[in-house]
């Protein structure tokens, strides 16, 4: 992009922006099962208006912008109450689940640094279903992520395996409520009891479920305790920009008390300039997401959220039952909330995804990992309610079509060449060649992704990560 000499008109700018968006998924149609949590245009308009009102306020200094201090305190207090904490519970607003998780890991690391200086490389124990954000946090913070398999039937964390992974360097145990991939709630009470017994930090990742599960409980669903009522739970991450339907950039990280939260805060006066004291990772940050979150929570209100939850629950049950009735498909496990994972033992799931997506749906492919098969993921949100029959009919049709599609030539080729290949020696140019053969060029992906997903699925995790890095490094270049 080159700057225009005299600037563009407002009209021309918005025309161009609309053009940029032309090939995006059409999430507004209600057939997108991920990425966008859409409460409908009326609620969105309230969120956008509040966002705009506070767009320019800067969360860098909450003594100057006392409105933001007020908003953050109110939102954290709401989170503490929603997750049944007492008056000791404190928390902060962050830009999303990943930031909340990075902060909780940092707090745990620094807390144990102060009490256990002999631990040089702290370890956090992650059931294989813990979100990738914990691996990112570990990577950024010099902490070792120790992954343990989950139960192969329920896909919940296996407490005995977690126990066996504890070493003298362990500082934290993580449980999900629910996990993203399979949508099941880990045995948080047992994990927290183990953490308590061993003197470890227990984090519940309730980014997905922290807001919604309490509503499902009120609707009579058997939701296990995962919040501050569970002794031993030290911190919880809960996103607002997911099932609270607030505009993106909205999550909370909560701690049982200030003694733990203290380790999250970063202060710096060792430079020439203004004094820095940050609760979160970002320094300068717009007040927009916070004001929008406050506005949407209050606009929808408790009855409104209960009503949305009721509809969503009915939708999830209908979809889950319907999937099990489709010849060739099966649920990977029964969902505890609104995240559904299903697979096909004799049909290529990646072909099913391509077929569905070419019909205007967005459903998400997931690679196999550890004891979990390659599968398809749906995050059901308010805007999907009412589409169940059409989704199931289309799925049945796509399974039949996918059943007849051959395995891609590339997948067979890679399968062959993987035999006897030294994965450690794979170079960036090998990867570029592989991608070119799969139809990836100039950072552009082919419209059908089954071959690429099929190849990725064959590769060991570290090689997959290298491929993704090479690809993205190539994608974000000058247009
Ligand atoms: C369980 C869980 N934790 C954390 C995250 C990360 O959240 P974000 O994408 O807002 O950073 C997600 C995202 O889907 C999630 O499902």
């Amino acid at each position: 992009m080159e700057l225009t000499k005299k600037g563009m008109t407002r009209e021309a700018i918005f025309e161009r922006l609309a053009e940029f968006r032309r090939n995006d998924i059409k999430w507004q149609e209600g057939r997108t099962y991920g990425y966008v949590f859409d409460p409908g245009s009326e609620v969105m308009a309230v969120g956008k208006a509040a966002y705009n009102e506070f767009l320019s306020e800067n969360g860098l200094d909450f003594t100057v912008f006392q409105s933001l201090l007020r908003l953050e305190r109110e939102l954290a207090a709401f989170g503490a109450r929603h997750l049944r904490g007492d008056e000791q519970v404190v928390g902060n607003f962050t830009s999303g689940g990943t930031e909340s998780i990075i902060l909780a890991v940092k707090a745990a690391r620094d807390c144990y640094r102060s009490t256990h200086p002999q631990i040089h490389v702290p370890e956090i124990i992650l059931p294989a279903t813990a979100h990738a954000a914990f691996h990112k946090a570990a990577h950024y913070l010099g902490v070792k992520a120790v992954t343990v398999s989950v139960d192969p039937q329920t896909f919940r964390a296996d407490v005995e395996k977690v126990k066996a992974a504890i070493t003298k360097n362990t500082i934290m145990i993580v449980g999900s409520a629910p996990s993203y991939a399979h949508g099941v709630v880990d045995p948080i009470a047992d994990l927290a009891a183990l953490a308590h017994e061993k003197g470890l930090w227990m984090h519940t990742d309730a980014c997905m479920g922290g807001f919604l599960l309490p509503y499902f409980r009120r609707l009579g669903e058997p939701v296990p305790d995962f919040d501050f009522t569970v002794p031993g739970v030290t911190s919880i991450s809960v996103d607002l920009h997911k099932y609270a339907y607030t505009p993106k950039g909205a999550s909370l990280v909560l701690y049982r008390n200030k003694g733990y939260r203290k380790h999250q805060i970063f202060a710096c006066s060792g430079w020439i300039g203004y004094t820095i004291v940050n609760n979160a990772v970002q320094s300068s940050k717009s007040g927009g997401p916070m004001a929008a979150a406050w506005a949407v929570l209050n606009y929808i209100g408790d009855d409104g959220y209960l009503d949305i939850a009721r509809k969503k629950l009915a939708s999830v049950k209908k979809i889950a039952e319907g999937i099990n009735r489709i010849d060739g498909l099966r649920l990977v496990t029964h969902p505890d909330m609104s995240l559904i994972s299903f697979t096909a033992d004799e049909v290529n799931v990646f072909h099913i995804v391509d077929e569905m997506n070419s019909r205007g749906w967005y459903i998400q492919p997931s690679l196999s990992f550890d004891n979990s098969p390659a599968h398809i993921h749906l995050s059901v949100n308010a805007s999907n309610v009412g589409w169940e029959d059409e989704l199931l009919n289309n799925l049945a049709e796509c399974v039949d079509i996918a059943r007849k599609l051959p395995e891609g030539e590339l997948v067979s080729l890679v399968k062959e060449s993987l035999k006897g290949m030294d994965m450690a020696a794979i170079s960036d140019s090998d990867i570029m060649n592989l991608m070119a053969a799969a139809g990836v060029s100039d950072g552009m992906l082919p419209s059908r992704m089954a071959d690429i997903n099929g190849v990725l699925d064959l590769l060991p995790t570290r090689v997959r990560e290298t491929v993704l890095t090479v690809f993205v490094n190539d994608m974000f270049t000058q247009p």
Side-chain angles (χ1 to χ4, degrees), residues 96-98 101 131 178 180 205 207-208 239 241-242:
T98 301
I101 287 167
H131 194 272
Y180 178 82
D205 179 15
C207 280
M208 268 293 178
D239 289 356
H241 65 196
K242 294 188 170 82

Side-chain angles (χ1 to χ4, degrees), residues 48-248:
K48 284 181 184 174
Y51 200 110
N52 264 341
E53 279 287 312
F54 278 75
L55 183 66
S56 305
E57 275 62 27
N58 192 345
L60 172 64
D61 192 336
F62 30 80
T63 63
V64 173
F65 294 102
Q66 295 208 1
S67 55
L68 300 186
L69 174 63
R70 175 79 192 255
L71 283 168
E72 186 156 353
R73 288 175 63 165
E74 290 207 7
L75 288 167
F78 161 76
R81 244 193 331 277
H82 198 61
L83 297 172
R84 303 186 293 182
D86 60 20
E87 64 291 346
Q88 300 291 313
V89 170
V90 288
N92 288 99
F93 185 87
T94 76
S95 64
T98 301
E99 190 178 0
S100 289
I101 287 167
I102 291 173
L103 290 169
V105 174
K106 176 202 158 350
R109 185 198 64 177
D110 291 358
C111 178
Y112 281 77
R113 256 187 195 160
S114 68
T115 55
H116 296 66
Q118 75 281 9
I119 299 181
H120 296 298
V121 183
E123 295 172 12
I124 58 175
I125 303 181
L126 308 176
T129 45
H131 194 272
F134 290 95
H135 293 268
K136 190 180 204 174
H139 182 72
Y140 282 6
L141 295 166
V143 166
K144 183 174 168 196
V146 177
T147 307
V148 296
S149 297
V150 293
D151 181 281
Q153 250 78 50
T154 63
F155 292 93
R156 296 195 173 92
D158 179 329
V159 182
E160 284 309 310
K161 286 210 167 72
V162 171
K163 188 173 184 178
I166 296 173
T167 70
K168 59 184 188 342
N169 295 325
T170 306
I171 61 165
M172 181 191 240
I173 292 176
V174 170
S176 305
S179 60
Y180 178 82
H182 306 110
V184 294
V185 179
D186 283 333
I188 300 294
D190 295 341
L191 292 171
L194 176 63
H196 182 68
E197 181 198 325
K198 303 283 183 187
L200 302 173
W201 185 297
M202 171 72 204
H203 182 83
T204 303
D205 179 15
C207 280
M208 268 293 178
F211 188 82
L212 182 56
L213 285 171
Y215 286 103
F216 271 28
R217 188 185 285 125
R218 279 164 61 183
L219 292 169
E221 287 298 290
V223 175
D225 291 338
F226 65 90
D227 54 17
F228 286 112
T229 56
V230 179
V233 168
T234 320
S235 55
I236 304 181
S237 44
V238 49
D239 289 356
L240 302 176
H241 65 196
K242 294 188 170 82
Y243 284 114
Y245 297 97
T246 75
K248 274 189 213 22

Side-chain angles (χ1 to χ4, degrees), residues 284-315:
S284 280
K285 58 180 178 187
S286 168
M290 224 188 271
W294 189 95
V296 168
L297 284 168
N298 284 298
Y299 189 73
I300 296 180
D302 193 50
D303 287 353
Y305 281 116
L306 191 62
D307 189 47
I308 297 174
R310 186 180 291 111
K311 292 180 179 138
K312 221 156 31 198
L313 182 57
S315 180

